Each structure stands twice: as structure tokens, then as C-alpha cells.
Amino acid sequence: MVQLAPYLVADSIESYCTDYIDGESVEALFDASELQEGLAFRQSIPPDLTTLLRGWALGFCPLNAIERSLSDLIDARTSNPVQRTAAVVSADDAIEMLEPGNILVDCTGSKSLLRDRLTPGSAEVDGGANTVNIRLEYALVVTFLYGQTYDCNEHCKYFKNIENARYKFIPMVHRTHNDGGISHVTGIVNITAEEYEAMPSRFDGRWLRSNFPDVARSMDRFIDNIKQETHGEVVGDLEILRIPLNLYRARNATSRPWLIAGPRDHPFASSPVFLAGDSAIGSPYFQSISLGFECAMYLAGLIAQRDLPLRDVFDRYELYIYKQWLRVYMQSKMIKHNKDLFECVDDPLALLDKLHIY
Ligand SMILES: Cc1cc2nc3c(=O)[nH]c(=O)nc-3n(C[C@H](O)[C@H](O)[C@H](O)COP(=O)(O)OP(=O)(O)OC[C@H]3O[C@@H](n4cnc5c(N)ncnc54)[C@H](O)[C@@H]3O)c2cc1C
């Protein structure tokens, strides 16, 4: 289940910038004309796709449903046919397939196939050469269904965790959605690197109770407090993933370095490569899919301008990705800082240690 940011379907600059944390950064990083250009592109998207986007942005949406409806839409478009071939592709396969003038868009996710091949010579050096990675924390993503309407704000997060000195469960803002009387609740619990290593990647409440009883008790207290307030029950068990919360970007999100300084006989010198989605930028705290859509829309807008010189396309995409990265970097650091303060909000000395006021 994923949540898309409301800005993806904003119809004015004002509504694009309404987010409490993100809004000011957007205004600082982007000129009004850039934001206007983005809105104009959004308004030019065909109605069938816009309708899908609006539907996905309404609330909690299954990632599979997004993938399936996009696939169906592509298959249904006879006017603009896309040929699909399902296969696992290696970096060398992708490079071999390139003909001069082709455009290659790598959207293979956080372990991007081509990210570390985008600078000449990088195939020979260790992986990660083209990746800036900041590990913010390790976390459990805990999801459960609750048989009553339940909504959460910052006060709720505080009071429902009041007996949890450690392992506070933090439901994501906008992440609790009511669906016909059932609420989907997703949130994160901070864990240490050692705890992360000792856990499987995915497990349920029973495993948590047997192996990490303190975390389970913390979840129980949070859920008991919800029940006291709204008199519902958890439907089924907890579903838990353990994930590193990484904030990363590709230093180069295009094959521009090959155009500038690469050997002329390499396919990347004559066929541009772009990273899109988690291939290019990844962020924790559930913003990535929206960023991916945003960058994909911008790339589509650039590619549609057929007379734009390739060098300009590269420069503009790189700059755009960099600005989106700064935006999500600031947002993620702010969320992490707020989370750190929240973890020790009842301990004034610990709190003061984390406040660097001047
Ligand atoms: C628990 C969890 C919750 C999340 N919740 C949110 C949320 O609420 N909001 C949000 O914005 N984001 C959320 N995210 C992040 C979001 O899921 C990702 O940002 C998004 O899925 C990235 O899309 P993508 O298409 O770039 O990459 P992916 O979804 O990773 O897709 C990459 C695709 O490429 C394919 N692929 C990879 N390598 C190859 C290869 N060699 N050959 C062929 N195919 C290949 C993969 O099979 C996959 O289908 C969440 C992530 C997690 C883990």
C-alpha cells in the first residue's frame, strides 16, 4: 500500500506548495515559471491517465493496482503502441540493445541496473561510485487493519505512545485511511542496526512477540490506547517489514558524462540514458513514488521537445533531479530531526542535547 503526495494532482502553484514541511523548500528551490511549466505539463496529460493519477492520490493505494492499471492503459492505447518484452535484463544486455539515437530509460528501482555505469570507467570500480547514500535510520514498517475509523495527528502519536519510552510507533501523517469502516494503519518503529541484522526481512506479530517482546509490548500499548478511544479490534495480525531508511541519489542521473568525455565508440556516447524513479533518487518516509512520478513527467516533457539539443536535455534533467533531491533531502532531514526530538520529548535534558539552536 502506498500513499501518493497531493502535490502530484495540484492544479495551482498555491496548492502545489501547501505541504507544511515541503512547501517553503519548493518555493525556495523552484522559480514560479518552473512550477508553472510543471503544472502546464500536468494539465496536458491525457484524461485517462489523469483520472488514474487522481484516483491513486485519493488515499492508501495498492502498488500492484498502480502497476496493473498503468499496464492496462498502455495496452489499450492503440494510437501509440508500446511493445513490451518481459525479461530479466543485465546491464550489458541493455547496452548491447542500443542503436544510435535510441533513448534508454532505466527504471529498475533502488538497485538500478545502470546507475553505476553512467560515468566512463565506472564499470571497473566498486559499485556505488555514482551513488550518494545517507542512512538515516533502521526501521520496522508495521501495518495492520483496525475495525473502526481511526485517524492520527501529532497529539495522538504522543499520547498513544506515552508509556513507550522506547520503540515508539509512529503512524505516518496521512497514512491512516479509512476504508468502509476498516482503517489501514501503517507506521514505523525505530530499531538499532543490531536489531535490524537479527531480524528476517518480513515477519508477523507472532514472530515479533517471540523474538522482540519489548517491541511487541510497545505496539500492544499503542493499539490498546487506540482501542480505548474507538472501541475496535485489530483485524488479522500485524505485518512487519524491516528496512534501512536510506536517502540517496545518483550523482549523474543521465549519461551526460559519456557525451562530454567518454570514448566516442561507446553506445552511451550516441544514445542518451536517463534514470527515473528509485533508480535516480530514493527517500525514506514514503515520498519516493511521488518523486518518481514528478521526475518522469518532467522527463516526458523534455523528450517531447524534439528540437531541444541533447546537451540541453541532459543539463535540464540533471538540474531538475538535483533540485528534487535537495527538496526531499531537506524534507527527510526535517522529519528525522522531528522524530529524534519526539523520541525524547519527555526527557528535557536529552531533548536539549538534540536542539542546536544557534
Ligand atoms: C514498505 C514500503 C512502503 C512504501 N510506501 C510508500 C508510500 O507510501 N509512498 C511513496 O511515495 N513511496 C512508498 N514506498 C516507495 C515506493 O514503493 C517506491 O518509490 C516505488 O515503488 C519506486 O518505483 P520504481 O518504479 O522506481 O521502482 P520499483 O518499484 O522498484 O520497480 C522496479 C522494477 O524494475 C524491475 N527490474 C529491476 N531490475 C531488473 C532487471 N535487471 N531486469 C528486468 N526488470 C528489472 C523490478 O522487477 C521492478 O518491477 C514504499 C516502499 C516500501 C518498501
Side-chain angles (χ1 to χ4, degrees):
M1 292 294 219
V2 293
Q3 160 89 31
L4 268 61
Y7 68 73
L8 275 180
V9 290
D11 52 12
S12 67
I13 294 186
E14 203 188 9
S15 59
Y16 189 85
C17 299
T18 46
D19 187 272
Y20 169 64
I21 296 181
D22 193 34
E24 279 188 6
S25 306
V26 170
E27 283 172 310
L29 286 167
F30 296 92
D31 293 335
S33 60
E34 288 176 285
L35 297 178
Q36 201 57 57
E37 197 186 328
L39 288 178
F41 182 79
R42 213 155 302 200
Q43 278 150 10
S44 74
I45 294 176
D48 48 5
L49 184 53
T50 303
T51 306
L52 285 180
L53 203 54
R54 287 192 185 283
W56 300 330
L58 274 181
F60 228 178
C61 181
L63 190 54
N64 283 345
I66 297 181
E67 289 182 357
R68 220 172 296 124
S69 47
L70 263 183
S71 298
D72 292 347
L73 186 73
I74 291 169
D75 291 343
R77 285 263 180 84
T78 46
S79 59
N80 185 16
V82 171
Q83 190 186 340
R84 295 154 165 291
T85 310
V88 173
V89 181
S90 71
D92 290 330
D93 294 338
I95 293 168
E96 260 168 45
M97 273 188 260
L98 277 179
E99 307 264 347
N102 284 171
I103 296 174
L104 175 57
V105 180
D106 172 356
C107 45
T108 53
S110 57
K111 297 198 175 82
S112 164
L113 208 56
L114 297 173
R115 192 190 305 132
D116 288 327
R117 304 292 276 277
L118 289 183
T119 46
S122 56
E124 291 87 51
V125 299
D126 287 346
N130 188 31
T131 311
V132 180
N133 188 29
I134 301 166
R135 162 119 349 116
L136 290 181
E137 58 179 312
Y138 291 98
L140 297 179
V141 179
V142 185
T143 302
F144 60 91
L145 298 177
Y146 182 67
Q148 277 290 344
T149 302
Y150 165 60
D151 219 335
C152 196
N153 60 18
E154 312 320 291
H155 294 230
C156 158
K157 285 173 206 166
Y158 175 73
F159 286 109
K160 293 194 173 45
N161 276 303
I162 206 147
E163 298 137 288
N164 294 337
R166 177 91 183 84
Y167 304 120
K168 293 187 198 312
F169 174 66
I170 307 193
M172 303 305 295
V173 186
H174 308 306
R175 288 279 303 181
T176 55
H177 295 267
N178 185 258
D179 178 7
I182 303 267
S183 297
H184 298 255
V185 185
T186 292
I188 52 179
V189 177
N190 171 268
I191 52 170
T192 63
E194 293 72 35
E195 288 164 338
Y196 173 88
E197 291 302 335
M199 292 172 174
S201 57
R202 185 183 282 266
F203 48 94
D204 58 17
R206 197 181 318 165
W207 191 92
L208 185 71
R209 225 165 283 286
S210 312
N211 294 278
F212 287 87
D214 290 346
V215 186
R217 270 192 290 275
S218 178
M219 283 306 303
D220 287 343
R221 282 192 287 265
F222 190 97
I223 291 169
D224 284 346
N225 285 334
I226 304 178
K227 286 181 184 169
Q228 269 191 19
E229 194 177 81
T230 48
H231 312 292
E233 287 298 329
V234 171
V235 182
D237 199 353
L238 308 180
E239 280 182 31
I240 307 166
L241 296 174
R242 61 110 165 93
I243 51 173
L245 295 185
N246 290 340
L247 182 58
Y248 66 85
R249 75 175 171 97
R251 285 178 208 278
N252 298 282
T254 69
S255 54
R256 182 173 63 176
W258 287 94
L259 185 74
I260 298 172
R264 302 309 311 154
D265 58 347
H266 191 280
F268 287 177
S270 50
S271 302
V273 183
F274 299 90
L275 305 183
D278 278 18
S279 250
I281 309 180
S283 60
Y285 313 131
F286 312 111
Q287 312 117 314
S288 287
I289 200 164
S290 307
L291 267 181
F293 274 121
E294 191 72 325
C295 295
M297 286 188 219
Y298 188 78
L299 181 58
L302 280 179
I303 291 175
Q305 298 174 51
R306 303 281 165 151
D307 49 355
L308 203 59
L310 182 57
R311 182 59 203 257
D312 290 359
V313 174
F314 278 151
D315 289 350
R316 288 177 62 180
Y317 189 64
E318 290 285 2
L319 182 62
Y320 187 78
I321 289 276
Y322 189 64
K323 287 187 177 191
Q324 291 291 357
W325 153 259
L326 286 180
R327 168 188 188 180
V328 77
Y329 174 83
M330 289 193 273
Q331 189 185 25
S332 304
K333 293 289 277 188
M334 175 68 100
I335 293 174
K336 172 73 171 88
H337 183 61
N338 288 350
K339 275 182 82 254
D340 287 349
L341 299 184
F342 182 77
E343 295 283 350
C344 59
V345 71
D346 289 318
D347 178 349
L349 294 181
L351 190 65
L352 285 170
D353 281 344
K354 291 199 170 129
L355 286 177
H356 300 281
I357 297 169
Y358 214 48

